[in-house]
Amino acid sequence: MVRSILAALLALAMLVSAGCDSSGVEFNGKDISGLMPELEFSLTGENGETVTEARYRGEAVVLFFGYTHCPDYCPTTLTALAQALKQLSPEQREQVRVLFVSVDPRRDSPELLAKYTGYFSPRIDGLTGDKKTLDALTKRYRTAYSYGEPDDNGNYLVNHGTAMYGFDRQGRIRVFMRDDQPVDQIAEDLRALISIQ
């Protein structure tokens, strides 16, 4: 009897804790609080300057990897994120930043990144780096990328992960958002990230 009660209490505790972190915030995406390192990087920004995570302290950050020549995932995801940002109040929107990290630095110059991200939202920043830097950063967040064979015109595809990583305003990893997550759910997760103290 005692074992049955304990088992029931354990199952209830697991249900209650599923999808929420120790601060009680719930996410539509997968809660990965504490399962990956904090936000840390040194990359090249849209003006050719060195950008580190320190620039974004105090803002919730969504990080994802891609490239401007991407035929599907990247423009679709950036559109969804831009739509989710529009669902936030102006005050909330000012507390969120999307970091689009290009893993195709050969083609994605800072100028091209600035033009590309500008199509979507002023709250989206394009960043990139050399291969060594990108290799270290993608390894840090357990993702990967690779280049396809160039065609006769020199065009090629880049295979890359499709995850969006959400960090709270202190730079702590919190949520893994899927590329098929509805816009309303992305907006809810952005609000949840902002709310964490």
Side-chain angles (χ1 to χ4, degrees):
M1 174 95 171
V2 173
R3 274 193 192 142
S4 298
I5 293 171
L6 287 173
L9 287 173
L10 180 60
L12 180 62
M14 289 173 69
L15 278 173
V16 169
S17 65
C20 64
D21 66 13
S22 59
S23 63
V25 174
E26 295 186 16
F27 296 108
N28 295 294
K30 182 173 178 56
D31 189 328
I32 57 170
S33 298
L35 298 181
M36 287 187 182
E38 293 186 357
L39 187 64
E40 184 179 322
F41 60 83
S42 180
L43 295 166
T44 302
E46 294 177 347
N47 295 314
E49 79 284 24
T50 298
V51 178
T52 72
E53 75 286 346
R55 175 181 287 189
Y56 304 103
R57 260 325 163 233
E59 295 177 308
V61 168
V62 176
L63 171 73
F64 80 102
F65 300 91
Y67 66 118
T68 65
H69 292 73
C70 182
D72 41 36
Y73 167 73
C74 296
T76 301
T77 302
L78 285 169
T79 298
L81 285 164
Q83 291 172 347
L85 286 165
K86 286 181 181 177
Q87 290 190 16
L88 306 182
S89 70
E91 294 78 15
Q92 291 171 329
R93 199 175 305 126
E94 288 299 310
Q95 298 177 64
V96 179
R97 187 73 64 169
V98 174
L99 303 182
F100 174 65
V101 178
S102 171
V103 291
D104 187 16
R106 192 170 81 175
R107 291 184 292 187
D108 289 344
S109 65
E111 296 78 16
L112 180 56
L113 280 170
K115 185 176 180 181
Y116 186 75
T117 59
Y119 288 130
F120 300 98
S121 170
R123 301 302 298 171
I124 300 175
D125 287 357
L127 301 168
T128 193
D130 60 28
K131 189 172 188 311
K132 181 179 177 182
T133 300
L134 293 170
D135 286 351
L137 186 61
T138 53
K139 183 177 180 181
R140 180 178 178 84
Y141 296 111
R142 303 177 197 168
T143 189
Y145 68 98
S146 63
Y147 303 114
E149 287 296 320
D151 64 18
D152 293 340
N153 297 314
N155 298 315
Y156 55 90
L157 294 174
V158 181
N159 298 309
H160 59 88
T162 59
M164 295 177 279
Y165 303 92
F167 297 82
D168 66 24
R169 290 181 293 124
Q170 287 73 44
R172 298 171 298 203
I173 188 73
R174 291 295 184 169
V175 62
F176 176 102
M177 291 180 282
R178 305 175 316 275
D179 60 322
D180 62 347
Q181 199 166 309
V183 170
D184 290 352
Q185 290 188 8
I186 295 173
E188 288 172 3
D189 283 352
L190 296 180
R191 291 188 191 98
L193 284 172
I194 294 167
S195 73
I196 298 171
Q197 299 301 315

